[in-house]
Structure formats: C-alpha cells, structure tokens
Amino acid sequence: MTETPRTPLRLTLAQVETTARAAHAGQTDKAGRPYAEHLQAVAEGVRARGGDEEQIAAAWLHDAVEDDALSSEWLREAALSSRTKDIVLAVTKRAGEPPEAYAARILATPGALLVKESDLAHNADPARLAVLDEATRKRLTEKYARMRALLGLVG
C-alpha cells in the first residue's frame, strides 16, 4: 500500500500574524508608531468588511514583500493558499509602476480590492494623518484619494 502525498498544513492566522509582526519588528510608520499597529488595523478592517481568512492573512502580509520585510521567495514557499499569495503580490507596489497599472492589478485579482480598501482607510485615517506635517498630510491625502478613485472606491 502506497501512502498518498499530503498537502502541507497551512499557516494559521495566528501564525501569519506572528510572522508579520516579527518581519516588521523595529519598523515604524510615518508617524513613528510601531508598524505592526498598521498591519493589525488593516487585518481588522478586512475582517470588519466581511473578508475571509485568506484575505485577513493577506492583510497581515500586505506590505511584507514591498517593504523587504519578507522576500518574494519566502512568500512563494510559504504554507499559504495561492489566493492569499496572489492578493499579497497584487497589493505589492513595484518600483516605477504607474498608479493606473497598480490599480488594474488589484482590480484583476480576486479578493485584493478589499485588502487595499482597508489599507487605504487606515492610511487616510484623519487621526493618523493629523500627526504629520501639513505638506506630508496634503500629499498623502491626495495620493490616497487618487488611488481610491482609480479603484472605484468613491464616497
């Protein structure tokens, strides 16, 4: 009798959270807050918007490759669903990429829009922006509004 190959177990959401927190340890956001607070807010936003476990996992990892906190090789080999990996890659900005191409990739990837919507909502939180200098606050507010428009997230 031959043994059937088993699919490797997937990382649990708790393991994904632990991995993301460790990967971004020591990093801070533009306001000087621990970066993990942003990851947690995005994951909670995805959950509150009705996202599933694959989207919540992607929310925890949404900046990991872009920020070089985890490598694309790590993501490729990680015990995650292909959908979670696709969402992470979709929301990962590429150097020199026009915002229109970035938005098109997000819109073309099932599940990615919800993660990006939650990310933008936290990034554009007035309380979060209030601690930044006026020029940075204005630049970011315009940047986030433009991306929301490109993604059809008006209102």
Side-chain angles (χ1 to χ4, degrees):
M1 184 157 100
T2 58
E3 230 179 270
T4 56
R6 295 205 315 222
T7 305
L9 294 176
R10 292 220 173 107
L11 293 171
T12 65
L13 274 180
Q15 290 169 320
V16 171
E17 176 183 348
T18 298
T19 299
R21 285 180 181 279
H24 289 277
Q27 291 181 347
T28 56
D29 66 12
K30 290 174 182 68
R33 302 291 309 157
Y35 203 79
E37 289 179 8
H38 172 63
L39 303 177
Q40 182 173 359
V42 175
E44 288 175 358
V46 167
R47 184 184 309 274
R49 288 170 174 82
D52 59 33
E53 286 203 358
E54 291 175 320
Q55 290 169 302
I56 296 166
W60 277 107
L61 299 169
H62 79 277
D63 280 335
V65 175
E66 182 178 318
D67 292 350
D68 293 322
L70 294 170
S71 69
S72 54
E73 182 180 335
W74 177 89
L75 182 65
R76 198 170 34 258
E77 301 297 324
L80 297 163
S81 72
S82 59
R83 182 167 172 253
T84 294
K85 293 175 185 182
D86 289 346
I87 293 169
V88 172
L89 291 174
V91 300
T92 298
K93 289 184 204 127
R94 300 173 185 166
E97 180 177 38
E100 296 81 4
Y102 177 57
R105 186 174 62 250
I106 291 168
L107 291 170
T109 305
L113 181 60
L114 188 68
V115 174
K116 189 61 185 175
E117 179 182 14
S118 182
D119 179 39
L120 286 168
H122 188 247
N123 283 338
D125 180 337
R128 199 162 179 238
L129 290 171
V131 300
L132 304 175
D133 65 83
E134 179 63 32
T136 301
R137 183 170 49 248
K138 184 177 189 299
R139 179 182 60 79
L140 291 177
T141 298
E142 290 170 1
K143 174 184 168 185
Y144 301 145
R146 179 163 186 240
M147 184 53 59
R148 286 185 60 79
L150 288 171
L151 294 170
L153 298 171
V154 289

